[in-house]
Amino acid sequence: MDYDIAIIGAGPAGLSFACSLRDSGLNIVIIEKLSRKELADPPVDGRDIALTHLSRKLMQQHGSWQQVGDDNISPIQRAEVIDGDSPYTLSFNTPDDGTDALGFLISNHLIRKAIFAKFETLQNVTLMDEQEVTLMDEQEVTAVNTNDDCGTILLASGETLTASLVIAADTRFSSTRRQMGISTDSHDFGRTAIVGWMEHELSHEHTAFECFHYGRTLAILPMPGNISSAVITVPSNQANEVLSMGDEAFNADIEQRLHGRLGKMKQVGQRYSYPLVGVHANRFVTNRFALIGDAAVGMHPVTAHGFNLGLSGQDLLATEILGAQAKGEDIWNPALLQRYQQHHMLATRPLYHGTNAIVGLFTNDSFPVTLLRSAALRLSNNLPPVKWAIQQKLMAKNHLKNFLPPFFGK
Ligand SMILES: Cc1cc2nc3c(=O)[nH]c(=O)nc-3n(C[C@H](O)[C@H](O)[C@H](O)COP(=O)(O)OP(=O)(O)OC[C@H]3O[C@@H](n4cnc5c(N)ncnc54)[C@H](O)[C@@H]3O)c2cc1C
């Protein structure tokens, strides 16, 4: 066997998984299409990622949080949901119980850069039991297969690798997932997210806004300084119109949709676009093979859970593997993989379908639906248990499996 674990994809999920296994003594290879140079200094991609408390804890544990730098982390202290032209808002504040924020915003390229910087340190130090962590960059995986003895990976270069366990972290459009016969529940929203930074006159006071307008949604996320990240989702046939709008018209449009809450607004940098497709794999594991990150679950960004789920999933799997190592069990043990699947499904399935339902509710502007949505906002605002539950979900301080009764496969 060439390696104990082969990870396909050095995105934030694949790299985090390698970092989580730093003291395992396992020989790990991570195979990535991009070059080491691009991984070390990824370009700005316009995505700003809202991270939960659990994500902060996990990034702190493997040391990548510390690499981001405090000046690049912006806490979210308050969130407001605005429905159409109605002056009514559903609002959430940071609870008054010693919690420092609802969540934390970091630009995606800085997350990727920080995780890669941490990953690189693993290659230069002596790890437990002469463990090796290897990056094969500029290498594309073209085929994957597993049997009872090992997993085999074929590279575009013609080289073949074998590993005891293969992990796919190769995007929501994972080709290796398909090759391994894992089906998905996928949904093309027919919408596109257009993202970019806006500078504004007034302080955002660390407030995030989610505005549901007719046919469009607009999220305004507070970044460091007087900058907010705008995420506009429009039907895909209108995306070009928004992308090609002149700066003045674009600025005025965002300002008006936010009812002038942040004063004069001006776009900085460029606009980026992402067609929105949600994907949930129907299984996360099969013989000597597991999915993590977007390859397992690719979310619509409206509830900001995609990478948070990627981080928590890789931690669930790494914890199972470290536990097996400690007990001298096989790391590809089917029972171990099943436990990972069970716990991660529990966290992802309701969120995936719940998010898709929210998208349906807030992008359908027929009269009964707008009425329902207005009622939902008022109900959430006025029923303390409902509001508390939404707030807890936003902050996500712990793995869901930790709230399960002991008999549930812990
Ligand atoms: C507009 C937008 C806003 C978002 N906002 C949030 C948010 O607020 N909060 C949040 O938690 N999430 C958010 N997300 C989601 C988040 O960006 C993703 O969940 C996350 O980046 C996925 O990481 P990953 O490592 O699984 O996959 P990726 O980042 O897609 O990485 C996969 C890697 O695999 C490599 N690869 C693919 N195929 C192969 C192959 N055959 N061989 C070798 N290498 C291969 C690719 O080159 C890539 O480097 C947002 C997404 C978008 C689009």
Short mmCIF file of all heavy atoms in Angstrom, two decimals, residues 8-9 11-13 31-34 47-50 139-141 169-171 195 274 293-294 301 304-308, ligand 1:
data_model
loop_
_atom_site.label_atom_id
_atom_site.label_comp_id
_atom_site.label_asym_id
_atom_site.label_seq_id
_atom_site.Cartn_x
_atom_site.Cartn_y
_atom_site.Cartn_z
N ILE A 8 -8.57 13.36 -2.11
CA ILE A 8 -8.65 13.96 -3.44
C ILE A 8 -9.23 15.37 -3.29
O ILE A 8 -10.39 15.53 -2.90
CB ILE A 8 -9.52 13.12 -4.39
CG1 ILE A 8 -8.98 11.69 -4.44
CG2 ILE A 8 -9.55 13.73 -5.79
CD1 ILE A 8 -9.96 10.69 -5.02
N GLY A 9 -8.43 16.39 -3.56
CA GLY A 9 -8.88 17.78 -3.46
C GLY A 9 -8.28 18.49 -2.26
O GLY A 9 -8.50 18.08 -1.12
N GLY A 11 -8.98 21.61 -1.32
CA GLY A 11 -9.80 22.77 -0.96
C GLY A 11 -9.76 22.87 0.57
O GLY A 11 -9.09 22.07 1.24
N PRO A 12 -10.53 23.80 1.13
CA PRO A 12 -10.50 23.95 2.59
C PRO A 12 -10.92 22.69 3.35
O PRO A 12 -10.39 22.42 4.43
CB PRO A 12 -11.45 25.11 2.86
CG PRO A 12 -12.14 25.41 1.58
CD PRO A 12 -11.33 24.85 0.48
N ALA A 13 -11.83 21.89 2.78
CA ALA A 13 -12.27 20.67 3.50
C ALA A 13 -11.16 19.61 3.49
O ALA A 13 -10.83 19.05 4.54
CB ALA A 13 -13.55 20.12 2.86
N ILE A 31 -4.09 14.96 -3.16
CA ILE A 31 -3.86 15.12 -4.61
C ILE A 31 -4.72 16.28 -5.10
O ILE A 31 -5.94 16.31 -4.85
CB ILE A 31 -4.24 13.83 -5.37
CG1 ILE A 31 -3.54 12.63 -4.72
CG2 ILE A 31 -3.87 13.92 -6.85
CD1 ILE A 31 -4.28 11.32 -4.92
N GLU A 32 -4.12 17.23 -5.79
CA GLU A 32 -4.83 18.45 -6.16
C GLU A 32 -4.44 18.89 -7.57
O GLU A 32 -3.29 18.86 -7.95
CB GLU A 32 -4.49 19.54 -5.13
CG GLU A 32 -4.90 20.95 -5.49
CD GLU A 32 -6.39 21.14 -5.71
OE1 GLU A 32 -7.20 20.73 -4.86
OE2 GLU A 32 -6.76 21.71 -6.78
N LYS A 33 -5.47 19.37 -8.30
CA LYS A 33 -5.26 19.86 -9.67
C LYS A 33 -4.45 21.15 -9.70
O LYS A 33 -3.64 21.37 -10.58
CB LYS A 33 -6.63 20.19 -10.29
CG LYS A 33 -7.34 19.00 -10.88
CD LYS A 33 -8.44 19.44 -11.82
CE LYS A 33 -9.73 19.77 -11.10
NZ LYS A 33 -10.92 19.78 -11.92
N LEU A 34 -4.70 22.02 -8.71
CA LEU A 34 -4.04 23.34 -8.71
C LEU A 34 -2.58 23.22 -8.30
O LEU A 34 -2.18 22.21 -7.70
CB LEU A 34 -4.76 24.29 -7.74
CG LEU A 34 -6.23 24.60 -8.02
CD1 LEU A 34 -6.81 25.47 -6.92
CD2 LEU A 34 -6.38 25.29 -9.37
N ARG A 47 -16.11 35.54 -2.31
CA ARG A 47 -16.91 34.86 -1.28
C ARG A 47 -16.42 35.29 0.10
O ARG A 47 -15.23 35.23 0.37
CB ARG A 47 -16.71 33.35 -1.30
CG ARG A 47 -17.21 32.68 -2.49
CD ARG A 47 -17.08 31.18 -2.25
NE ARG A 47 -16.69 30.53 -3.46
CZ ARG A 47 -16.58 29.22 -3.61
NH1 ARG A 47 -16.81 28.41 -2.60
NH2 ARG A 47 -16.23 28.70 -4.75
N ASP A 48 -17.33 35.67 0.95
CA ASP A 48 -16.99 35.92 2.34
C ASP A 48 -17.79 34.93 3.16
O ASP A 48 -19.01 34.80 2.99
CB ASP A 48 -17.31 37.38 2.70
CG ASP A 48 -16.39 38.30 1.91
OD1 ASP A 48 -15.17 38.17 2.08
OD2 ASP A 48 -16.89 39.09 1.09
N ILE A 49 -17.10 34.21 4.01
CA ILE A 49 -17.71 33.04 4.65
C ILE A 49 -18.09 33.35 6.09
O ILE A 49 -17.26 33.81 6.88
CB ILE A 49 -16.73 31.84 4.61
CG1 ILE A 49 -16.23 31.58 3.18
CG2 ILE A 49 -17.35 30.59 5.22
CD1 ILE A 49 -17.24 31.05 2.20
N ALA A 50 -19.37 33.11 6.41
CA ALA A 50 -19.84 33.27 7.79
C ALA A 50 -19.59 31.96 8.52
O ALA A 50 -20.07 30.90 8.10
CB ALA A 50 -21.32 33.60 7.78
N GLN A 139 -1.88 17.66 -10.16
CA GLN A 139 -2.18 16.27 -10.53
C GLN A 139 -3.69 16.09 -10.49
O GLN A 139 -4.32 16.42 -9.48
CB GLN A 139 -1.58 15.29 -9.50
CG GLN A 139 -0.08 15.34 -9.41
CD GLN A 139 0.59 14.57 -10.54
OE1 GLN A 139 -0.08 13.93 -11.35
NE2 GLN A 139 1.91 14.64 -10.59
N GLU A 140 -4.25 15.58 -11.57
CA GLU A 140 -5.70 15.38 -11.61
C GLU A 140 -6.03 13.90 -11.46
O GLU A 140 -5.43 13.05 -12.13
CB GLU A 140 -6.26 15.90 -12.93
CG GLU A 140 -7.76 15.76 -12.98
CD GLU A 140 -8.38 16.40 -14.21
OE1 GLU A 140 -7.66 17.05 -15.00
OE2 GLU A 140 -9.60 16.22 -14.38
N VAL A 141 -6.98 13.61 -10.58
CA VAL A 141 -7.44 12.23 -10.44
C VAL A 141 -8.44 11.95 -11.56
O VAL A 141 -9.41 12.71 -11.72
CB VAL A 141 -8.10 12.01 -9.06
CG1 VAL A 141 -8.75 10.65 -8.96
CG2 VAL A 141 -7.06 12.21 -7.95
N ALA A 169 -12.79 14.99 -1.62
CA ALA A 169 -13.13 16.37 -1.21
C ALA A 169 -13.01 17.22 -2.47
O ALA A 169 -12.38 18.27 -2.47
CB ALA A 169 -12.17 16.84 -0.13
N ASP A 170 -13.61 16.71 -3.56
CA ASP A 170 -13.36 17.29 -4.89
C ASP A 170 -14.56 18.05 -5.44
O ASP A 170 -14.96 17.82 -6.58
CB ASP A 170 -12.90 16.19 -5.86
CG ASP A 170 -13.86 14.99 -5.90
OD1 ASP A 170 -14.73 14.89 -5.02
OD2 ASP A 170 -13.74 14.17 -6.82
N THR A 171 -15.11 18.96 -4.66
CA THR A 171 -16.21 19.88 -5.03
C THR A 171 -17.59 19.20 -5.05
O THR A 171 -17.68 17.98 -5.07
CB THR A 171 -16.03 20.60 -6.40
OG1 THR A 171 -16.43 19.70 -7.45
CG2 THR A 171 -14.62 21.07 -6.65
N VAL A 195 -21.61 38.44 -6.13
CA VAL A 195 -21.01 38.89 -4.86
C VAL A 195 -19.95 39.96 -5.12
O VAL A 195 -19.32 39.99 -6.17
CB VAL A 195 -20.39 37.70 -4.08
CG1 VAL A 195 -21.46 36.76 -3.58
CG2 VAL A 195 -19.39 36.92 -4.92
N TYR A 274 -21.79 33.17 -9.15
CA TYR A 274 -21.82 31.73 -8.87
C TYR A 274 -23.22 31.19 -9.16
O TYR A 274 -24.17 31.54 -8.45
CB TYR A 274 -21.51 31.46 -7.38
CG TYR A 274 -20.09 31.82 -7.00
CD1 TYR A 274 -19.78 33.10 -6.51
CD2 TYR A 274 -19.06 30.90 -7.16
CE1 TYR A 274 -18.48 33.44 -6.18
CE2 TYR A 274 -17.76 31.24 -6.83
CZ TYR A 274 -17.47 32.50 -6.34
OH TYR A 274 -16.18 32.83 -6.01
N GLY A 293 -16.74 17.57 2.86
CA GLY A 293 -16.87 18.90 2.25
C GLY A 293 -18.04 18.97 1.29
O GLY A 293 -19.04 18.26 1.45
N ASP A 294 -17.90 19.83 0.27
CA ASP A 294 -18.98 20.00 -0.70
C ASP A 294 -19.27 18.72 -1.47
O ASP A 294 -20.37 18.56 -2.02
CB ASP A 294 -18.63 21.12 -1.69
CG ASP A 294 -19.01 22.51 -1.17
OD1 ASP A 294 -19.23 22.63 0.04
OD2 ASP A 294 -19.09 23.45 -1.98
N PRO A 301 -26.03 29.17 -0.52
CA PRO A 301 -25.33 29.98 0.49
C PRO A 301 -26.24 30.79 1.42
O PRO A 301 -25.75 31.37 2.39
CB PRO A 301 -24.45 30.92 -0.34
CG PRO A 301 -25.01 30.93 -1.70
CD PRO A 301 -25.76 29.64 -1.88
N ALA A 304 -25.68 30.12 4.90
CA ALA A 304 -24.24 30.20 5.23
C ALA A 304 -23.75 28.96 5.98
O ALA A 304 -23.04 29.08 6.97
CB ALA A 304 -23.98 31.47 6.05
N HIS A 305 -24.11 27.77 5.50
CA HIS A 305 -23.70 26.57 6.23
C HIS A 305 -22.73 25.68 5.48
O HIS A 305 -22.24 24.71 6.04
CB HIS A 305 -24.93 25.74 6.64
CG HIS A 305 -25.54 26.21 7.91
ND1 HIS A 305 -24.84 26.21 9.10
CD2 HIS A 305 -26.75 26.71 8.20
CE1 HIS A 305 -25.61 26.67 10.05
NE2 HIS A 305 -26.77 27.01 9.54
N GLY A 306 -22.44 25.96 4.19
CA GLY A 306 -21.65 25.04 3.37
C GLY A 306 -20.33 24.63 3.98
O GLY A 306 -20.10 23.45 4.28
N PHE A 307 -19.45 25.60 4.18
CA PHE A 307 -18.13 25.25 4.70
C PHE A 307 -18.21 24.86 6.18
O PHE A 307 -17.43 24.04 6.65
CB PHE A 307 -17.15 26.41 4.48
CG PHE A 307 -15.78 26.08 4.99
CD1 PHE A 307 -15.16 24.89 4.64
CD2 PHE A 307 -15.10 26.95 5.84
CE1 PHE A 307 -13.89 24.57 5.13
CE2 PHE A 307 -13.84 26.63 6.33
CZ PHE A 307 -13.23 25.44 5.98
N ASN A 308 -19.18 25.44 6.89
CA ASN A 308 -19.34 25.04 8.31
C ASN A 308 -19.62 23.54 8.39
O ASN A 308 -19.07 22.83 9.24
CB ASN A 308 -20.49 25.83 8.95
CG ASN A 308 -20.12 27.28 9.15
OD1 ASN A 308 -19.13 27.59 9.82
ND2 ASN A 308 -20.89 28.20 8.60
C1 LIG B 1 -21.29 32.77 -2.99
C2 LIG B 1 -20.96 31.74 -1.93
C3 LIG B 1 -21.04 32.09 -0.60
C4 LIG B 1 -20.75 31.16 0.39
N1 LIG B 1 -20.90 31.52 1.69
C5 LIG B 1 -20.67 30.62 2.66
C6 LIG B 1 -20.82 30.97 4.05
O1 LIG B 1 -21.15 32.10 4.39
N2 LIG B 1 -20.58 30.01 5.00
C7 LIG B 1 -20.20 28.75 4.66
O2 LIG B 1 -19.99 27.93 5.57
N3 LIG B 1 -20.04 28.38 3.36
C8 LIG B 1 -20.27 29.27 2.36
N4 LIG B 1 -20.09 28.90 1.06
C9 LIG B 1 -19.68 27.51 0.75
C10 LIG B 1 -18.16 27.29 0.77
O3 LIG B 1 -17.51 28.21 -0.06
C11 LIG B 1 -17.86 25.85 0.32
O4 LIG B 1 -18.63 24.97 1.11
C12 LIG B 1 -16.40 25.44 0.47
O5 LIG B 1 -15.53 26.29 -0.22
C13 LIG B 1 -16.19 24.03 -0.07
O6 LIG B 1 -14.89 23.57 0.19
P1 LIG B 1 -14.40 22.13 -0.35
O7 LIG B 1 -12.98 21.98 0.12
O8 LIG B 1 -15.37 21.07 -0.02
O9 LIG B 1 -14.46 22.23 -1.93
P2 LIG B 1 -13.69 23.20 -2.98
O10 LIG B 1 -13.33 24.50 -2.36
O11 LIG B 1 -14.57 23.19 -4.16
O12 LIG B 1 -12.32 22.43 -3.27
C14 LIG B 1 -12.24 21.24 -4.02
C15 LIG B 1 -10.81 21.06 -4.53
O13 LIG B 1 -10.73 19.81 -5.24
C16 LIG B 1 -9.92 19.98 -6.38
N5 LIG B 1 -10.30 18.95 -7.36
C17 LIG B 1 -11.52 18.75 -7.91
N6 LIG B 1 -11.51 17.67 -8.71
C18 LIG B 1 -10.25 17.15 -8.66
C19 LIG B 1 -9.61 16.03 -9.28
N7 LIG B 1 -10.28 15.21 -10.10
N8 LIG B 1 -8.31 15.82 -9.03
C20 LIG B 1 -7.60 16.63 -8.17
N9 LIG B 1 -8.16 17.71 -7.56
C21 LIG B 1 -9.47 17.96 -7.80
C22 LIG B 1 -10.26 21.40 -6.86
O14 LIG B 1 -9.23 21.94 -7.68
C23 LIG B 1 -10.40 22.16 -5.52
O15 LIG B 1 -9.17 22.73 -5.10
C24 LIG B 1 -20.38 29.82 0.03
C25 LIG B 1 -20.28 29.46 -1.32
C26 LIG B 1 -20.57 30.42 -2.30
C27 LIG B 1 -20.49 30.02 -3.75
#
